[in-house]
Amino acid sequence: MAESLPEHDRILQEIESTDTACVGPTLRSVYDDQPNAHQKFMEKLDACIRNHDREIEKMCNFHHQGFVDAITELLKVRADAEKLKVQVTDTNRRLQDAGKEVISQTEEIIRCRVQQRNITTVVEKLQLCLPVLEMYSKLKEQMNVKRYYSALKTMEQLENLYLPRVSQYRFCQIMIENLPKLREEIKEISMSDLKDFLESIRKHSDRIGETAMKQAQQQKTFSTTLQKQNNVNYGRNMHLGRSRISDSKNEMTLKRTFEDDDEHEEEVLTAQDLVDFSPVYRCLHIYSVLGDGEIFENYYRKQRRKQARLVLQPQSSMHETVEGYRRYFSQIVGFFVVEDHILHVTQGLVTRTYTDELWNMALSKIVAVLRTHSSYCTDPDLVLELKNLIVVFADTLQGYGFPVNRLFDLLFEIRDQYNETLLKKWSGLFRDIFEADNYSPIPVANEEEYKIVISKFPFQDPELDKSFPKKLPMSQSVPQIYMQVKEFIYASLKFSESLHRSSTEIDDMLRKSTNLLLTRTLSSCLQNLIKKPHIGLTELVQIIINTTHLEQACKYLEDFISNITNISQLTVHTARLYGLSTFKDARHAAEGEIYTKLNQKIDEFIQIADYDWTMSESDGRASGYLMDLINFLRSTFQVFTHLPGKVAQTACMSACQHLSMSLMQMLLDSELKQISMGAIQQFNLDVIQCELFASSEPVPGFQGDTLQLAFIDLRQLLDLFMVWDWSTYLADYGQATSKYLRVNPSTALTLLEKVHRGMKDSSKKNNIFAQFRKNDRDKQKLIETVVKQLRSLVNGMSQHT
């Protein structure tokens, strides 16, 4: 207990000397001590409070008298203060009354001085503001008269020089706020003018292009004429018309066309005459001044690209007329002439890189369009006019510095299309010539008519027979075909001109196209002609003669090409004409058709044969159909006298072989079941007439009995039956010296069985007791024996095979 009292004193000291915010830890320590220590602490605290209260009371008692004395003195001073307040108030009133007049005069002076100072300030400020107002008025006037470039300069002076001096005034702020709006208004107005300019360019591009192409063509014609006058070979200079059309790159084409001899000058409209370029210059200057030059350049190029795409888009029916192509080319030329003008009169609006890129894009589109639309052209005259337009188009643009090699490459593709249209046209001409031909030798009544013919066709009379009247060996189609081939060469040459190619290349192109005409078109027409049903043997013979003369004329066509191209045929790599093979193939086809038609005619005669295969005896003379057939062959082979010997001989041999085979098939026909010996005899008479015809040499040139050998199979077979020499046949079979070497056992067996059946049927009809006759029985046995032996030979052959 005694130990806790000093501790409580220490805690009380800490509470009295410590900030009340930190009393918590001190008080907590009271509860951390011994139990019931807080109650003792409270008692100690009460005692301390009582001590402090006694000390306060002592202090108040000690100072109480002094406080009472101070209050008494203060009450005495209050009366004096009241008097002083009254005196001060009276003095202030009198002072205010005396100073009112002075204050009034002073305020008047101050007001006058302020007004004077304000007037001076206003004058000074007005002197600063008047130039600004004058410039702004000038700006408005320039806007009203559409002097926008000057207005922009005035705005620049206002902003940089005048407005900063008086920027504190509200009207200046209004001006400053209006200037951007005025700039935008100027930009919009200039852009509207530019749009009108672009629309004008769009409308007048075709006229500008037409003028430029016309001038390029005139300059090319003038240069060509000048070269010819100076004896300069036109083929050596392939770059005429490629120079700049105008003398200055900074000016649009401005030319005067001089008439022939009257020295009359015709002023040609230029792009400046058709379109006012000032909007684009003005708009460029305005945007450059406003710092938006790049925006303007991008807009201009974007719009021109759009216009370029529209210009490059052709009409769907463009390929139908040359005017469609001319309008298409004029629009494109007009577009790029304008771009070239803009390139050279402005700085940076259009660059060479931009124009080259735009031209490459356009060139790809142009080539694709021309390649597509030219493929629709079926008229060679239209294709030729298209070629001339492309050449003028290319020369015009090349004169402005645009590369056009792809256009000339395209012309070679179009040239192939042109040749195709020519080939189609000439195919129709050839067909008409062949249809109109009478396939008879050309009659010549006198020397004048003879000269007319040889002027059209290089016919050389080997006999130099000048006696008239006479007939030339070829028909009327030969000189007509020859003249049409020359006309084709001329037509093909028209396309090859102005293609900037050497004479050697032109010569090569002409020869290749002529080869196509001969080997494809003319050859096809000849093949179709030969296959026509109405073309008979006489016509086929004349066709063979015609092709022979046309083949001989090929060398004259080669000379003709060499003359018009000035290229010798001895030049290396010079293409040759393939007409020789064409006409040879046509002759071979005609010859084959002759053989076919002869065989068909023979088949027609064979079909009307009417044999009585059961006749007992022959008529004693050849059948009528066969004699008619032989007469037909004789007259036909007389026509063949104009043919080459081998052709006539082959035709004759083929006809005899086909006749022999047809007669053999008639005997061996499966539908023919039986044959009498009388029918065999009649058939033998017909074969004899065939052999007599073969031996009469219907076509000269056969050696010995070559033609009779065509009937050797029939002859040996018929002799075997007529002589009934079966023992010899069977004994000598298989030997090279056999009399019946050409008789096949199978053929002999087939015919023998038919004869056997015929004998049986004849015996039954003639005598009911015929089977009892000894000769007949012996003959039947002989036939049966021979049949067995023949069958064994046939079976042996099949086993051997």
Side-chain angles (χ1 to χ4, degrees):
M1 184 68 178
E3 294 178 358
S4 63
L5 292 178
E7 181 64 24
H8 290 167
D9 291 337
R10 184 186 62 78
I11 291 172
L12 288 174
Q13 291 177 358
E14 288 182 1
I15 291 173
E16 291 177 354
S17 61
T18 306
D19 188 6
T20 57
C22 300
V23 173
T26 304
L27 293 177
R28 190 180 297 112
S29 63
V30 174
Y31 295 92
D32 293 340
D33 293 338
Q34 299 177 358
N36 298 323
H38 64 283
Q39 185 175 1
K40 295 177 180 180
F41 175 74
M42 292 300 294
E43 292 175 355
K44 186 66 175 178
L45 181 59
D46 290 339
C48 182
I49 292 170
R50 287 194 295 273
N51 289 334
H52 283 299
D53 287 340
R54 284 195 293 272
E55 290 178 358
I56 291 170
E57 184 177 357
K58 288 179 181 181
M59 185 176 292
C60 288
N61 289 334
F62 177 76
H63 293 288
H64 178 266
Q65 187 59 45
F67 176 72
V68 173
D69 293 340
I71 292 300
T72 303
E73 291 179 359
L74 183 59
L75 290 174
K76 292 178 179 180
V77 172
R78 184 173 63 180
D80 296 334
E82 288 292 338
K83 294 178 180 180
L84 180 61
K85 179 179 179 181
V86 173
Q87 293 176 358
V88 169
T89 302
D90 183 61
T91 303
N92 180 60
R93 179 182 56 76
R94 287 185 281 116
L95 181 62
Q96 291 295 331
D97 293 340
K100 283 183 179 179
E101 185 177 356
V102 176
I103 290 174
S104 176
Q105 293 178 357
T106 303
E107 288 178 352
E108 184 66 23
I109 292 173
I110 292 172
R111 187 179 62 80
C112 291
R113 288 182 177 178
V114 169
Q115 287 180 349
Q116 184 179 5
R117 186 174 64 250
N118 288 343
I119 290 172
T120 303
T121 303
V122 168
V123 171
E124 293 176 355
K125 297 304 181 182
L126 284 176
Q127 289 177 349
L128 289 176
C129 292
L130 281 176
V132 176
L133 296 173
E134 290 175 355
M135 291 296 292
Y136 194 78
S137 176
K138 180 181 178 181
L139 173 62
K140 285 294 186 179
E141 183 180 357
Q142 290 171 340
M143 291 289 292
N144 292 333
V145 297
K146 298 182 179 181
R147 295 172 57 193
Y148 301 116
Y149 184 72
S150 299
L152 289 175
K153 291 296 184 182
T154 303
M155 288 184 195
E156 185 178 357
Q157 291 178 358
L158 277 172
E159 286 182 328
N160 298 330
L161 185 60
Y162 293 96
L163 288 177
R165 300 174 184 175
V166 290
S167 59
Q168 68 274 19
Y169 301 111
R170 190 175 63 178
F171 79 90
C172 292
Q173 294 299 324
I174 295 174
M175 289 182 183
I176 292 174
E177 292 174 0
N178 284 337
L179 290 181
K181 297 178 181 178
L182 292 176
R183 284 195 176 91
E184 290 299 322
E185 182 180 352
I186 291 174
K187 288 175 65 175
E188 291 176 1
I189 293 173
S190 62
M191 185 57 70
S192 177
D193 292 343
L194 177 67
K195 292 178 180 178
D196 294 340
F197 162 79
L198 293 176
E199 181 65 23
S200 177
I201 285 293
R202 179 73 178 90
K203 292 180 180 179
H204 295 89
S205 289
D206 54 347
R207 293 185 61 189
I208 296 172
E210 183 180 356
T211 301
M213 292 174 67
K214 179 179 179 182
Q215 293 166 353
Q217 193 169 14
Q218 289 173 349
Q219 183 178 9
K220 182 177 180 180
T221 303
F222 175 74
S223 300
T224 305
T225 304
L226 185 62
Q227 279 192 339
K228 289 181 178 179
Q229 290 176 352
N230 295 331
N231 295 324
V232 177
N233 188 356
Y234 179 62
R236 296 177 181 175
N237 186 359
M238 291 303 175
H239 301 283
L240 292 180
R242 300 188 182 186
S243 60
R244 293 285 299 164
I245 293 179
S246 63
D247 295 332
S248 173
K249 290 185 177 181
N250 296 329
E251 296 295 331
M252 291 297 292
T253 56
L254 181 60
K255 294 287 185 182
R256 291 182 177 178
T257 303
F258 294 95
E259 300 297 335
D260 294 336
D261 297 323
D262 56 0
E263 298 181 357
H264 173 70
E265 296 181 357
E266 177 187 357
E267 190 72 21
V268 181
L269 292 178
T270 63
Q272 291 96 330
D273 300 324
L274 300 174
V275 179
D276 180 15
F277 285 91
S278 60
V280 69
Y281 307 147
R282 183 165 54 249
C283 198
L284 175 61
H285 287 311
I286 289 172
Y287 272 77
S288 299
V289 170
L290 296 177
D292 293 334
E294 185 176 354
I295 295 176
F296 174 73
E297 292 172 7
N298 294 334
Y299 176 81
Y300 176 84
R301 295 180 184 181
K302 180 179 179 181
Q303 295 302 316
R304 289 297 280 168
R305 282 194 181 95
K306 290 182 180 179
Q307 288 189 343
R309 293 187 180 95
L310 292 176
V311 167
L312 294 171
Q313 188 66 32
Q315 295 182 353
S316 59
S317 60
M318 184 180 72
H319 61 278
E320 296 177 357
T321 61
V322 70
E323 290 301 322
Y325 287 108
R326 181 176 287 109
R327 185 165 52 253
Y328 180 69
F329 289 140
S330 297
Q331 290 178 351
I332 296 174
V333 171
F335 178 89
F336 283 99
V337 165
V338 170
E339 289 303 290
D340 183 77
H341 174 72
I342 297 295
L343 171 66
H344 291 97
V345 299
T346 61
Q347 296 296 329
L349 178 58
V350 175
T351 62
R352 175 56 67 182
T353 302
Y354 161 78
T355 55
D356 289 344
E357 177 185 352
L358 195 61
W359 170 244
N360 289 332
M361 181 273 293
L363 189 58
S364 300
K365 178 67 174 178
I366 293 168
V367 170
V369 167
L370 293 179
R371 183 178 288 122
T372 300
H373 282 264
S374 64
S375 63
Y376 299 147
C377 294
T378 57
D379 183 7
D381 295 333
L382 179 58
V383 179
L384 184 61
E385 290 181 347
L386 171 60
K387 167 256 177 181
N388 294 331
L389 279 177
I390 293 176
V391 171
V392 176
F393 172 72
D395 287 341
T396 303
L397 287 173
Q398 190 164 22
Y400 285 91
F402 296 102
V404 293
N405 291 334
R406 290 178 62 185
L407 288 176
F408 284 102
D409 294 338
L410 173 66
L411 284 174
F412 278 89
E413 299 180 24
I414 297 179
R415 182 184 180 278
D416 295 336
Q417 173 67 19
Y418 175 71
N419 282 336
E420 289 298 325
T421 59
L422 285 182
L423 292 175
K424 290 180 181 178
K425 178 180 179 180
W426 258 256
S427 177
L429 294 175
F430 289 154
R431 287 196 300 269
D432 294 341
I433 291 173
F434 289 141
E435 288 293 333
D437 195 6
N438 58 6
Y439 296 98
S440 300
I442 301 175
V444 178
N446 49 50
E447 189 172 356
E448 287 74 15
E449 292 183 3
Y450 177 76
K451 289 181 179 179
I452 292 174
V453 173
I454 64 175
S455 67
K456 298 179 180 179
F457 181 76
F459 173 70
Q460 300 295 330
D461 192 348
E463 300 177 359
L464 297 176
D465 184 7
K466 295 297 182 179
S467 60
F468 297 100
K470 67 177 182 178
K471 292 184 177 180
L472 302 182
M474 66 278 189
S475 66
Q476 194 63 46
S477 63
V478 173
Q480 293 176 352
I481 291 293
Y482 182 81
M483 291 300 296
Q484 286 301 327
V485 173
K486 292 176 67 176
E487 289 297 325
F488 175 88
I489 295 173
Y490 276 126
S492 182
L493 177 64
K494 289 180 181 178
F495 196 96
S496 301
E497 294 175 342
S498 303
L499 290 186
H500 307 315
R501 289 295 184 268
S502 65
S503 299
T504 303
E505 291 175 300
I506 293 176
D507 181 88
D508 185 63
M509 288 187 290
L510 287 181
R511 292 178 185 274
K512 288 181 179 179
S513 59
T514 307
N515 278 330
L516 280 177
L517 178 72
L518 296 177
T519 59
R520 195 173 76 182
T521 304
L522 182 56
S523 176
S524 176
C525 291
L526 284 171
Q527 296 292 338
N528 293 333
L529 173 67
I530 292 169
K531 297 296 182 181
K532 286 184 179 296
H534 69 277
I535 298 297
L537 292 173
T538 303
E539 288 81 3
L540 288 172
V541 171
Q542 188 62 55
I543 289 173
I544 292 176
I545 296 171
N546 289 348
T547 54
T548 302
H549 287 281
L550 287 172
E551 179 182 345
Q552 295 172 354
C554 281
K555 62 179 181 179
Y556 297 100
L557 290 175
E558 290 186 346
D559 295 338
F560 175 72
I561 295 175
S562 299
N563 290 333
I564 62 177
T565 58
N566 293 324
I567 297 297
S568 172
Q569 297 185 33
L570 302 178
T571 304
V572 182
H573 305 306
T574 298
R576 312 299 296 180
L577 295 184
Y578 304 140
L580 300 178
S581 60
T582 297
F583 298 121
K584 286 180 180 178
D585 294 341
R587 277 201 303 277
H588 292 160
E591 292 168 6
E593 194 66 19
I594 286 177
Y595 307 149
T596 301
K597 287 187 179 295
L598 267 177
N599 294 340
Q600 291 175 351
K601 199 66 178 178
I602 291 172
D603 292 338
E604 292 176 5
F605 281 100
I606 295 295
Q607 288 175 359
I608 63 175
D610 187 16
Y611 283 102
D612 181 7
W613 298 106
T614 61
M615 64 172 55
S616 58
E617 293 182 358
S618 66
D619 294 340
R621 62 180 182 273
S623 302
Y625 86 91
L626 187 67
M627 297 306 297
D628 293 339
L629 172 58
I630 291 176
N631 292 330
F632 164 76
L633 292 177
R634 289 186 187 279
S635 62
T636 299
F637 291 139
Q638 287 178 357
V639 178
F640 286 7
T641 55
H642 297 293
L643 288 177
K646 292 184 178 180
V647 176
Q649 293 171 12
T650 304
C652 187
M653 177 59 75
S654 173
C656 291
Q657 289 176 344
H658 185 74
L659 176 59
S660 175
M661 182 180 63
S662 298
L663 292 174
M664 180 69 77
Q665 289 177 351
M666 189 184 300
L667 286 176
L668 302 179
D669 189 0
S670 59
E671 295 182 1
L672 180 60
K673 301 302 182 181
Q674 60 184 15
I675 300 176
S676 67
M677 288 303 298
I680 293 291
Q681 294 171 359
Q682 181 65 40
F683 200 83
N684 182 59
L685 292 176
D686 293 343
V687 174
I688 291 174
Q689 291 298 322
C690 293
E691 292 172 330
L692 291 174
F693 168 74
S695 63
S696 67
E697 197 175 6
V699 173
F702 286 107
Q703 295 180 356
D705 56 353
T706 302
L707 194 57
Q708 293 94 309
L709 292 177
F711 301 96
I712 189 64
D713 292 354
L714 270 175
R715 171 48 50 210
Q716 292 187 5
L717 178 64
L718 291 174
D719 286 348
L720 178 61
F721 278 84
M722 294 293 294
V723 181
W724 207 254
D725 196 7
W726 293 105
S727 58
T728 303
Y729 174 76
L730 294 174
D732 296 343
Y733 178 76
Q735 298 180 10
T737 58
S738 173
K739 180 180 179 181
Y740 306 101
L741 180 64
R742 304 297 294 271
V743 178
N744 188 284
S746 176
T747 302
L749 175 61
T750 301
L751 185 58
L752 182 60
E753 289 176 343
K754 293 181 179 183
V755 172
H756 188 198
R757 284 191 291 270
M759 287 182 176
K760 286 183 177 180
D761 186 68
S762 177
S763 297
K764 290 179 181 180
K765 291 180 179 179
N766 294 332
N767 191 349
I768 192 170
F769 300 104
Q771 63 271 24
F772 298 106
R773 292 182 179 180
K774 186 175 184 304
N775 292 335
D776 292 340
R777 289 198 305 270
D778 293 341
K779 198 170 187 178
Q780 293 287 345
K781 290 181 181 179
L782 175 62
I783 291 175
E784 291 175 357
T785 303
V786 172
V787 167
K788 290 180 181 179
Q789 292 178 348
L790 289 174
R791 285 177 178 170
S792 64
L793 291 176
V794 171
N795 293 332
M797 291 174 60
S798 62
Q799 292 176 1
H800 178 72
T801 302

